[in-house]
Amino acid sequence: MTADPELLDDLVRLAAAGGTEVDVAADPAAARDRYLGAPLVMIGADQAIACLRARLPRRPRVIVTGHEPIVHAAWEVAQPLGAEHVAMLPAAEPWLVDRFATAGPAEPSPAGRILAVLGGRGGAGASTLAGGLAVTAVHEGLRTLLLDADPLGGGLDLVLGWERVEGLRWPALAEAGAHADPSALLKALPHQGDLVLLSFSRDGLPGVPPEAMAVTMQAARENRDVTVVDVPRHLDDAATIALAAADRAILIVPAELRATASAARVAAAAQRHCPQLSVVVRGPAPGRLRATEVARSLGLPLAGSLRPEPALCEGLEQGQPPAAGGRGPLADLCRRILGGLNAAR
């Protein structure tokens, strides 16, 4: 990550000597989507302060590098960034070649699967689908985390009927930020059996800090079989981290012309972070628009369709979790989606 053309030339040359291809970003905004997934991160000294201001999540295998004298200024921000080394060029060139040559995965890929859900328009039913997927996953014997990433949503605690269940909400985790211990984090959240919930409190939070989302994604991968994330349509930094971490994303769209037009914009933004995006089409269809036509117009695979389910809406108003009975169109769809997620391992 650097906007210094001289430094970039040197790093590309050293990476080639180490037999490694590089992915270049000029600044933290351009790097954020790829930051957590890269086996190794080289931050140019010219971008070190910008990275600190951008509050990029802490991660292993980060190196700050640059030429004299600019690299000297990077020493002060290297530790807050979580950098393991500061490499001064040209003296550190042989050492950097070795780092590039051994740039394998930072750690073995964990087993947990992450599924993101977002709506094609407001009120599309993303929270209900996310809740149904989490409830169904637990019925299938999977340790599950249901995560609310939409600060302006109604709250997944209400979807489950868990508003009075004790445990930490996002504001408490936001204070801990990158310093939260992943395993302790899950134990402190509201839970019943194998289902754990992370949602917003009623006093509000303007958004989830990116570093808190990064820690939560790490905890999910390491400690849960399945994590379902309710992602907002208007993607903030935390939402892009969740999408980038997801193995698959589901876009739910009502079978309406204007909803499909809105969903096209949402899909374009979401696919930049999670290419494995498919669509669920929810009825009724006032203009008899078919699910296959919606999927075709969006250019997305059709994950399934949902018929109207009046009993589901009534149950939600009474605090009954979606798909709790294991029957009906939503429960059937959730089983198919989860089956596809596990088959893709």
Side-chain angles (χ1 to χ4, degrees):
M1 185 197 316
T2 180
D4 181 340
E6 183 180 354
L7 177 59
L8 178 59
D9 287 345
D10 283 341
L11 291 177
V12 171
R13 171 175 55 82
L14 297 173
T20 299
E21 294 184 1
V22 295
D23 191 3
V24 179
D27 54 39
R32 188 179 293 277
D33 298 343
R34 295 162 283 172
Y35 189 74
L36 289 175
L40 177 68
V41 173
M42 298 277 186
I43 298 178
D46 61 300
Q47 295 300 315
I49 294 177
C51 288
L52 193 62
R53 290 173 177 167
R55 303 178 69 185
L56 291 179
R58 294 176 69 92
R59 51 148 293 159
R61 305 186 73 176
V62 174
I63 297 171
V64 175
T65 185
H67 299 102
E68 294 185 86
I70 188 173
V71 75
H72 290 290
W75 282 99
E76 296 181 2
V77 297
Q79 184 174 2
L81 276 176
E84 297 173 355
H85 304 279
V86 176
M88 185 182 301
L89 298 178
E93 286 193 1
W95 183 83
L96 284 178
V97 171
D98 289 341
R99 301 287 78 72
F100 278 122
T102 57
E107 55 187 32
S109 297
R113 308 290 281 176
I114 298 176
L115 178 63
V117 180
L118 65 166
R121 67 155 169 79
S127 296
T128 301
L129 177 57
L133 285 163
V135 169
T136 303
V138 172
H139 287 170
E140 297 289 312
L142 301 171
R143 298 170 303 154
T144 305
L145 169 64
L146 178 59
L147 195 155
D148 193 347
D150 187 354
L152 298 181
L156 288 182
D157 55 344
L158 291 176
V159 172
L160 295 182
W162 284 22
E163 60 269 28
R164 295 184 181 178
V165 178
E166 294 294 328
L168 298 183
R169 266 65 173 179
W170 269 122
L173 266 65
E175 292 181 7
H179 303 291
D181 177 74
S183 58
L185 182 156
L186 290 174
K187 294 178 182 178
L189 299 178
H191 60 276
Q192 291 184 6
D194 281 335
L195 181 56
V196 177
L197 172 68
L198 176 51
S199 64
F200 292 88
S201 59
R202 289 290 166 264
D203 53 6
L205 179 71
V208 180
E211 58 270 26
M213 179 61 77
V215 169
T216 304
M217 290 295 97
Q218 177 188 351
R221 284 286 193 197
E222 295 176 352
N223 298 278
R224 297 279 97 182
D225 298 318
V226 172
T227 296
V228 181
V229 189
D230 185 5
V231 178
R233 291 182 300 121
H234 301 287
L235 302 180
D236 54 18
D237 288 342
T240 60
I241 288 174
L243 274 173
D247 299 286
R248 184 181 177 190
I250 301 292
L251 179 68
I252 181 167
V253 183
E256 303 166 5
L257 182 61
R258 290 185 62 204
T260 303
S262 173
R265 294 190 289 271
V266 177
Q271 276 189 302
R272 289 197 290 267
H273 310 288
C274 183
Q276 300 302 317
L277 179 67
S278 55
V279 61
V280 165
V281 179
R282 179 175 65 81
R288 298 185 179 180
L289 192 61
R290 297 179 180 178
T292 53
E293 293 172 331
V294 174
R296 189 183 308 116
S297 68
L298 294 174
L300 296 175
L302 181 62
S305 57
L306 270 175
R307 300 192 310 272
E309 197 170 353
L312 171 65
C313 300
E314 182 180 347
L316 288 172
E317 291 297 313
Q318 297 175 359
Q320 298 174 11
R327 298 180 180 178
L330 177 62
D332 292 341
L333 174 66
C334 290
R335 279 191 289 269
R336 290 198 301 273
I337 291 174
L338 291 168
L341 183 69
N342 291 325
R345 284 183 182 274

